[in-house]
Amino acid sequence: MEEREESVVHVFDTTLRDGEQSPGATMNVEEKLAVARQLEELGVDVIEAGFAVSSEGDFASVQAVAAAVGRPVVLSLARTKEADILRAVRAVEKAKRPGIHVFIATSDIHLRHKLMMSREQVKEAAGWAVELARKHLEHVEFSAEDASRSDRDYLVSVFDEAVRAGASVLNVPDTTGYAIPEQTQALFEYLRTHVAGGDRVRWSTHCHNDLGMAVANSLAAVRGGARQIECTLNGIGERAGNTSLEEVVMALETRADYFALRTNVKTEQLYRASRLLTQVTGIEVPINKPIVGENAFAHEAGVHQDGVLKNTLTYEIMRPERIGRPSNSLVLGKHSGRHAFLDRLKTLGLWYPELDMNKAFAAFKALADKKKNVYDEDLVAIVAEESVRVPKQYELIDLETSSSTSASPRARLRVRVGEATVETEASGDGVVDATYNALASAIERFGGSRPTLERYVVKAITGGTDAQGEVSCLLRDGETSAIGQSSATDIIVASAHAYVAALNKLQYLKAHRPLEANHGP
Ligand code: KIV
Ligand code: ZN
């Protein structure tokens, strides 16, 4: 590695692979593409786009991401099996900077109970697989799964073998979130000095958050010499999740005085990236989550507010603008024109070439008509909604609801289904239930089956009684599930649109190859 490079920590994003292994985070190809494009904008160095051999859907997603992005290396995960490696190589062949991520477990627990292999066999498999991968691709990363619970000297011997076979990145995962930061730093220091050729490779850290220490462990790894951090947006991932990208990046930036390192991430894009992922997966971040949680920059106590008003340095270690977090200031109103709208999107880092400006502007105008004040956060919601699109088989044309204390709530609506328009009416336990019953009966009229509503979440974006309500609902039809989201000043309207958005995604997923379960490691 060049001297200069030593001060750069590469960001390896695995939102689309390990992140997608979060329960309920399954994404379709279009959604993965939207996230991948955003990751490229964000400036990540590596995108792990999936586990190509695990399903047709994963293969298609890796292929699509490989073709769509330019600067980041695009990788697929692969076990030490020929079929995995060849499939992964195939999936990334259109990438400008293709790569492969080969892994096998090295802890005795995994060897004995999962792989039923001896230490010698695992070492041999690692070398063999890296050699095969290197015949096809230059960028080969090797991971020793469950490294933090593996015998240190055995780990050294497996990494020796991976370097000999041509791996250029060595990853030391804390697969179970078991490690303690001091141990992590010491492990990296040990490996870097004991692995033959350890000074010629990039060392990578990959931590899980089971004990809430994924970020701390990743930073400790960096102190121990790691120069790549594997992480996910919003920290999503298997079980308690992975290292949170936004937290680890902002820790390196905010404490540059301590780490003296930098990443290539454009931090002003962090908030937007986080919001997009929430939009796509329907998984909200906790309100107190560092960096991107609703309260992360809110000051409640009088003494804090007083201090911040006098000087933000009193209680703020970073400015919200640094992560592109809207200030919640009034920006536009119903008289604002297209130019002002576009200008604001650009200022907020919300504009990108594929954005359908006509639709986004129309959505803004419709909102401005209903809502006196349009805040930056409203714009984030509009753009997030526009950035993931699937063909619209269903479209809500009109909705009328009634509810009173003496009669059961009713909904009457008109919906377009393909070329036809249908009107239905239904009652329910509440207005939302009545609306969903009316929508379901429209589907049934056209021979479709009523999906099950598995999750329904509503929250207010901005404050005030004219705040937009953001609704997310998860629908399931047999093996296929899809999330729909929508925001509007009227939560019943937002609920109806969210349901219709989920229906369109369901329809799309069923018409294309359904995503099989991701059999991730
Ligand atoms: O957690 C883990 O060990 C992994 C590997 C495949 C890198 O995700
Ligand atoms: Zn993992």
Side-chain angles (χ1 to χ4, degrees):
M1 252 184 286
E2 295 165 32
E3 182 96 59
R4 196 167 43 83
E5 276 277 282
E6 280 296 316
S7 61
V8 179
V9 177
H10 280 198
V11 172
F12 172 122
D13 182 276
T14 183
T15 305
L16 302 178
R17 197 278 297 170
D18 220 341
E20 208 211 13
Q21 289 173 216
S22 279
T26 311
M27 294 170 245
N28 63 39
V29 179
E30 277 66 28
E31 290 167 333
K32 286 191 173 181
L33 269 177
V35 173
R37 289 199 180 101
Q38 173 62 71
L39 288 170
E40 179 167 30
E41 284 277 303
L42 186 61
V44 306
D45 303 283
V46 183
I47 296 177
E48 183 163 52
F51 186 15
V53 83
S54 70
S55 72
E56 285 301 321
D58 245 42
F59 179 79
S61 304
V62 178
Q63 258 194 332
V65 170
V69 304
R71 194 191 79 84
V73 172
V74 178
L75 297 171
S76 167
L77 186 65
R79 289 167 298 189
T80 54
K81 294 176 190 285
E82 187 172 14
D84 282 41
I85 293 169
L86 298 182
R87 196 79 176 135
V89 168
R90 196 63 209 290
V92 297
E93 70 190 0
K94 295 248 159 59
K96 292 208 176 58
R97 301 179 65 200
I100 182 166
H101 178 188
V102 177
F103 80 100
I104 189 163
T106 49
S107 67
D108 286 336
I109 302 174
H110 278 237
L111 264 59
R112 199 170 307 135
H113 302 291
K114 184 182 87 174
L115 298 174
M116 322 310 178
M117 286 167 81
S118 67
R119 284 187 175 190
E120 220 24 65
Q121 286 171 323
V122 163
K123 191 160 84 181
E124 208 177 290
W128 174 86
V130 171
E131 246 171 44
L132 175 61
R134 275 295 270 119
K135 287 194 181 130
H136 298 272
L137 293 167
E138 208 157 290
H139 187 114
V140 177
E141 167 166 336
F142 172 73
S143 280
E145 192 189 11
D146 207 17
S148 57
R149 294 192 302 164
S150 302
D151 177 82
R152 253 183 8 174
D153 291 317
Y154 173 60
L155 198 52
V156 168
S157 73
V158 177
F159 280 140
D160 278 345
E161 185 58 16
V163 176
R164 183 208 54 74
S168 52
V169 182
L170 297 183
N171 183 33
V172 188
D174 180 25
T175 304
T176 54
Y178 180 75
I180 301 290
E182 284 78 3
Q183 292 177 329
T184 302
Q185 178 171 348
L187 178 60
F188 272 85
E189 282 163 357
Y190 188 83
L191 293 172
R192 283 179 57 230
T193 47
H194 287 77
V195 169
D199 52 341
R200 284 184 277 112
V201 296
R202 182 176 296 281
W203 288 89
S204 179
T205 174
H206 175 115
C207 300
H208 282 266
N209 205 28
D210 300 64
L211 293 174
M213 290 190 281
V215 171
N217 274 310
S218 302
L219 294 170
V222 164
R223 293 284 292 165
R227 287 297 177 267
Q228 176 174 283
I229 298 177
E230 306 196 357
C231 46
T232 58
L233 291 172
N234 297 344
I236 65 165
E238 191 79 40
R239 306 182 310 280
N242 289 61
T243 298
S244 150
L245 185 153
E246 54 283 352
E247 290 177 29
V248 84
V249 163
M250 287 313 287
L252 287 172
E253 152 141 344
T254 309
R255 295 307 310 273
D257 60 318
Y258 179 75
F259 291 104
L261 294 167
R262 66 172 186 86
T263 69
N264 292 315
V265 167
K266 294 184 202 111
T267 59
E268 324 77 62
Q269 295 272 331
L270 283 171
Y271 187 66
R272 180 183 162 190
S274 161
R275 292 284 310 168
L276 175 67
L277 187 70
T278 299
Q279 182 84 19
V280 161
T281 59
I283 302 174
E284 287 290 341
V285 298
I287 56 170
N288 62 337
K289 184 176 189 308
I291 320 294
V292 292
E294 201 172 313
N295 287 352
F297 292 89
H299 302 277
E300 177 70 23
V303 74
H304 285 210
Q305 289 176 347
D306 180 50
V308 170
L309 286 175
K310 286 179 174 138
N311 188 330
T312 54
L313 284 175
T314 51
Y315 288 100
E316 265 181 14
I317 58 167
M318 357 166 217
R319 296 294 301 142
E321 297 80 34
R322 218 38 220 121
I323 61 151
R325 224 182 140 121
S327 57
N328 237 6
S329 53
L330 171 67
V331 284
L332 301 168
K334 67 177 181 180
H335 300 300
S336 309
R338 201 182 163 90
H339 185 72
F341 175 67
L342 177 62
D343 209 50
R344 191 64 197 162
L345 291 190
K346 285 189 172 160
T347 308
L348 292 171
L350 289 174
W351 182 84
Y352 59 97
E354 292 82 16
L355 180 68
D356 185 331
M357 269 302 290
N358 290 336
K359 284 208 171 147
F361 187 61
F364 158 69
K365 276 293 188 190
L367 181 65
D369 267 344
K370 285 194 218 126
K371 199 171 181 286
K372 205 164 65 201
N373 300 334
V374 177
Y375 296 95
D376 288 343
E377 296 223 348
D378 294 319
L379 300 185
V380 176
I382 288 175
V383 171
E385 197 155 330
E386 273 312 309
S387 56
V388 183
R389 273 174 272 125
V390 293
K392 291 199 167 79
Q393 167 77 357
Y394 299 94
E395 189 182 10
L396 181 70
I397 300 171
D398 194 27
L399 169 66
E400 206 183 300
T401 57
S402 65
S403 100
S404 79
T405 46
S406 50
S408 55
R410 294 200 69 73
R412 197 166 59 205
L413 51 82
R414 209 142 48 89
V415 60
R416 181 182 61 73
V417 184
E419 301 290 300
T421 302
V422 58
E423 275 190 36
T424 54
E425 196 171 347
S427 60
D429 282 339
V431 188
V432 174
D433 191 44
T435 304
Y436 284 5
N437 287 339
L439 281 166
S441 75
I443 307 165
E444 284 164 347
R445 289 246 198 113
F446 285 83
S449 54
R450 170 188 287 248
T452 319
L453 178 66
E454 287 203 339
R455 189 165 72 213
Y456 172 81
V457 181
V458 58
K459 74 162 207 183
I461 311 178
T462 66
T465 47
D466 67 350
Q468 286 207 86
E470 186 178 77
V471 175
S472 146
C473 69
L474 175 67
L475 297 183
R476 171 170 297 281
D477 187 356
E479 291 295 289
T480 317
S481 64
I483 285 170
Q485 284 195 314
S486 184
S487 10
T489 46
D490 180 331
I491 59 163
I492 308 302
V493 173
S495 301
H497 281 301
Y499 191 97
V500 170
L503 272 183
N504 282 323
K505 278 194 206 163
L506 263 185
Q507 182 77 18
Y508 177 84
L509 287 174
K510 286 192 311 191
H512 292 73
R513 273 176 305 242
L515 272 183
E516 295 158 29
N518 184 342
H519 305 295

